């Protein structure tokens, strides 16, 4: 069940269909009609408020971490200058915050908490690394302060997935796929890390055994972080391949699976299923 076995069953794709990984791994619609509507009837879903907010937080975190790396290469190990530049980054999100605050009144406070958390994390990492390595150079410092590849682009076609996948973060020290979510935990979330592990194994031919889903939640108006570390075992791999095959068949044979039993008005495809 390793990705490098993509050319033989059960990993070999049976149908000539390419699905985005989030559609294979997503089970918010229990019947899978969202995928039928999107892939067969070519309907576009309307992102709900939770999706828009999650996407914004996601983009914000990526920007903070990538900007940190950029500043290290530009300013060297001048930690005070880097942190000062970084602290002014929050203002660059004001336009998006203005738009979102119409629907989510406390979005500014939540965004500020996420920004502060990341800023403190980066400041701590800087001080920790510099206190241990007096002769460190920019490249090594960048890798140690932000030890991830963010939004790594991957070609999933070996496994019947889209050619333009993007994993949230990949840690090289112990090969680990990370995924960031803002919302309640679901068992199927592990399918996302599993799918990326299979794709990376197919491309790079080395094993990826660990996944981690980071949940950003707000409780009592405070940011609360939960981490779900898990082994990407055969059971998860099997589940991912079964989901892929079932959804590919539905798209290839143009089978409408009918309405789910858990439809909510917030579903991006709700208007098509009324
Ligand atoms: S409205 Fe219901 S059936 Fe339609 S896509 Fe959403 S969850 Fe699925």
């Amino acid at each position: 069940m390793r990705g490098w076995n993509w050319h033989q069953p059960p990993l070999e794709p049976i149908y000539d269909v390419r699905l985005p990984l989030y559609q294979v791994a997503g089970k918010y619609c229990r019947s899978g009609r969202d995928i039928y509507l999107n892939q067969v009837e070519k309907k576009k879903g309307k992102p709900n408020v939770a999706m828009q907010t999650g996407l914004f937080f996601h983009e914000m975190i990526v920007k903070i971490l990538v900007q940190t790396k950029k500043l290290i290469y530009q300013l060297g190990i001048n930690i005070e200058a880097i942190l000062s530049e970084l602290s002014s980054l929050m203002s660059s999100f004001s336009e998006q915050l203005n738009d979102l605050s119409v629907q989510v009144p406390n979005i500014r406070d939540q965004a500020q908490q996420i920004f502060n958390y990341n800023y403190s994390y980066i400041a701590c990492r800087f001080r920790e690394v510099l206190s241990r390595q007096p002769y460190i150079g920019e490249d090594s410092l960048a890798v140690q302060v932000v030890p991830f590849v963010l939004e790594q682009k991957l070609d999933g076609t070996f496994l019947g997935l889209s050619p333009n996948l993007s994993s949230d973060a990949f840690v090289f020290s112990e090969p680990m796929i990370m995924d960031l979510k803002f919302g309640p935990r679901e068992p199927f979330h592990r399918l996302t890390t599993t799918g990326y592990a299979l794709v990376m194994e197919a491309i790079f031919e080395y094993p990826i055994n660990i996944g981690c889903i980071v949940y950003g939640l707000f409780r009592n108006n405070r940011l609360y972080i939960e981490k779900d570390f898990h082994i990407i075992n055969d059971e998860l791999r099997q589940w991912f391949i079964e989901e892929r095959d079932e959804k590919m068949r539905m798209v290839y044979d143009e089978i409408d699976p009918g309405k789910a039993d858990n439809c909510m008005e917030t579903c991006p495809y709700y208007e098509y299923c009324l």
Side-chain angles (χ1 to χ4, degrees), residues 28-29 31 33-34 37 258-260 262-264 267 269-270 273:
Y28 291 102
C29 168
S31 71
R33 188 154 203 256
D34 53 346
L37 289 168
K259 277 180 70 175
N262 66 328
C263 302
M264 290 199 282
C267 172
Y269 294 90
Y270 192 74
C273 298

Side-chain angles (χ1 to χ4, degrees), residues 1-196:
M1 294 303 289
R2 293 290 187 177
W4 54 76
N5 291 319
W6 56 269
H7 49 84
Q8 55 187 336
L11 273 77
E12 185 184 17
I14 310 165
Y15 302 98
D16 187 16
V17 171
R18 302 268 175 272
L19 291 177
L21 196 145
Y22 77 89
Q23 289 191 340
V24 174
K27 289 181 69 64
Y28 291 102
C29 168
R30 283 198 201 130
S31 71
R33 188 154 203 256
D34 53 346
I35 296 157
Y36 167 82
L37 289 168
N38 178 256
Q39 295 286 338
V40 180
E41 295 203 3
K42 305 296 175 200
K43 307 282 191 214
K44 293 253 179 282
K46 255 195 232 148
N48 59 36
V49 176
M51 288 161 80
Q52 290 174 40
T53 311
L55 184 64
F56 167 69
F57 288 155
H58 197 285
E59 285 175 1
M60 193 175 119
I61 292 167
V62 169
K63 193 164 176 187
I64 295 167
L65 295 173
V66 171
Q67 186 63 12
T68 303
K69 288 185 180 182
K70 276 190 197 165
L71 287 169
I72 293 172
Y73 287 116
Q74 281 168 3
L75 302 173
I77 55 165
N78 189 344
I79 174 173
E80 303 309 332
I82 292 170
L83 291 178
S84 161
E85 284 282 329
L86 208 55
S87 63
S88 61
L89 194 63
M90 190 63 201
S91 56
S92 68
F93 303 113
S94 56
E95 201 175 310
Q96 285 162 285
L97 281 170
N98 282 343
D99 295 343
L100 279 169
S101 62
V102 178
Q103 294 162 294
V104 189
N106 57 350
I107 187 91
R108 281 176 200 288
D109 176 55
Q110 293 183 347
Q112 188 68 55
Q113 287 193 53
I114 291 174
F115 184 85
N116 293 349
Y117 179 90
N118 281 280
Y119 181 85
S120 305
Y121 164 83
I122 289 162
C124 260
R125 288 290 302 167
F126 263 123
R127 295 191 203 289
E128 194 189 331
V129 173
L130 291 178
S131 68
R132 282 191 280 112
Q133 300 290 344
Y135 308 113
I136 198 165
E138 291 89 356
D139 201 35
S140 177
L141 182 63
V143 170
Q144 292 196 49
V145 172
V146 185
F148 327 108
V149 176
L150 294 147
E151 306 213 307
Q152 187 169 20
K153 301 298 174 217
L154 299 164
D155 180 352
T157 47
F158 289 135
L159 290 158
L161 303 169
S162 129
N164 305 308
L165 305 176
S166 177
S167 73
D168 282 359
F170 180 68
V171 181
F172 274 100
S173 49
E174 162 66 57
M176 177 169 73
I177 306 284
M178 295 185 80
D179 198 55
L180 178 62
K181 302 232 181 271
F182 289 90
R185 245 184 221 229
E186 296 284 356
F188 62 81
H189 285 165
R190 290 183 179 189
L191 290 178
T192 302
T193 47
T194 304
Y196 282 122

Side-chain angles (χ1 to χ4, degrees), residues 205-224:
E205 302 200 350
Y206 57 72
I208 308 220
N209 299 319
I210 304 174
C212 175
I213 302 168
V214 180
Y215 291 93
L217 307 160
F218 284 91
R219 294 202 181 140
N220 266 346
N221 296 323
R222 282 210 309 271
L223 178 64
Y224 176 72

